[in-house]
Amino acid sequence: MKHKEMSERTVRKLIETGIDLFSKQGYMSTSIDQIVKKAQLSKGAFYAHFESKEEFLIRILRESFREYFEGLQHILDRKNQNLMDSYMESSKLTLKESYQKGFSQLLLQSAMVSRQLPNVHEKLKALIDEWRQNLIPYFDEMKKEGLINKTLDSERIFTAGVALFMGYNIQHYIDEQVPLVDMMEVFLEILQSDRLMKE
């Protein structure tokens, strides 16, 4: 096996292990020793790719968001489709996969500790802003096509969507009988409502 392939495999194994441990134990309660032990790798292998645990978390967040963006855009950019149906299909799939892989829990954990980790905080803000900028054009297009209420502000739609995503994930984490996919039905009701409540 070539060195590059081995390096990529090592990083992938570390990331998968990091998501698993951070999502279950929390960032602060997980050590690099625990990560490398569970991944069956050496500490040297970790430091060959990451300078610190904080940089490692940032890489995990960046990779996870990238996978989400690519999956979403692949579905939403298909030709001859109902944009709303495609958005709902993609979002339901993402909700389930994110939770099963531990990314939803990791995102919640990261948000909780990010104020104590300025670099993580800035990166998380940038990633969420990128998420916003990726979705707003689709919301605008849905408004043009009459699929959602044209009076709704696309930025506020995004903010409401993230709030629902986080809220449903917290509830599902506490009580698995709260179905994650219900979030999308609630979000659809908001998108198709007659008006957006003003603050």
Side-chain angles (χ1 to χ4, degrees):
M1 188 183 297
K2 292 178 182 175
H3 177 72
K4 187 181 177 185
E5 287 174 11
M6 285 180 67
S7 179
E8 286 171 1
R9 252 182 151 174
T10 298
V11 169
R12 180 52 42 202
K13 198 167 187 182
L14 286 167
I15 286 175
E16 286 170 2
T17 305
I19 291 173
D20 182 51
L21 291 177
F22 289 157
S23 66
K24 289 176 180 169
Q25 300 177 177
Y27 174 82
M28 297 298 194
S29 300
T30 302
S31 67
I32 291 171
D33 284 334
Q34 288 174 312
I35 294 164
V36 295
K37 184 177 179 183
K38 183 158 188 188
Q40 298 180 321
L41 294 165
S42 68
K43 219 167 178 179
F46 180 92
Y47 284 110
H49 297 92
F50 306 101
E51 288 182 14
S52 64
K53 189 171 76 162
E54 190 172 326
E55 186 199 328
F56 178 55
L57 175 60
I58 290 170
R59 173 75 179 270
I60 290 174
L61 290 168
R62 192 173 64 238
E63 292 280 320
S64 300
F65 271 92
R66 183 185 55 77
E67 283 180 22
Y68 166 74
F69 294 145
E70 287 177 358
L72 177 69
Q73 287 182 320
H74 176 71
I75 289 174
L76 293 183
D77 290 341
R78 291 187 305 213
K79 304 282 184 208
N80 305 316
Q81 62 169 331
N82 178 304
L83 200 51
M84 176 57 75
D85 289 346
S86 297
Y87 176 72
M88 292 292 284
E89 170 197 337
S90 171
S91 297
K92 285 179 180 179
L93 183 65
T94 298
L95 270 174
K96 289 179 186 174
E97 287 184 351
S98 293
Y99 195 87
Q100 287 167 353
K101 291 177 180 177
F103 177 64
S104 296
Q105 302 90 312
L106 172 70
L107 186 55
L108 291 168
Q109 295 271 2
S110 300
M112 296 301 291
V113 301
S114 70
R115 289 283 182 181
Q116 300 163 50
L117 304 166
N119 291 336
V120 173
H121 183 74
E122 287 307 310
K123 188 59 184 178
L124 199 49
K125 271 176 62 180
L127 287 167
I128 290 173
D129 190 54
E130 187 180 348
W131 186 5
R132 178 185 294 107
Q133 298 312 316
N134 273 275
L135 281 181
I136 282 176
Y138 295 110
F139 293 141
D140 288 341
E141 187 60 32
M142 285 184 231
K143 286 196 280 188
K144 281 182 196 168
E145 292 179 18
L147 299 170
I148 62 177
N149 187 336
K150 293 180 182 181
T151 65
L152 299 179
D153 177 78
S154 295
E155 293 230 6
R156 293 181 78 188
I157 291 172
F158 173 80
T159 301
V162 171
L164 281 170
F165 176 81
M166 298 294 243
Y168 263 88
N169 271 289
I170 288 170
Q171 290 181 73
H172 184 74
Y173 187 71
I174 294 166
D175 179 3
E176 290 189 352
Q177 290 183 35
V178 175
L180 280 174
V181 291
D182 278 6
M183 184 218 120
M184 289 313 301
E185 301 307 322
V186 173
F187 194 44
L188 182 61
E189 287 175 23
I190 292 170
L191 293 175
Q192 296 179 335
S193 66
D194 291 334
R195 64 192 178 87
L196 185 64
M197 296 293 288
K198 300 294 181 190
E199 292 177 357

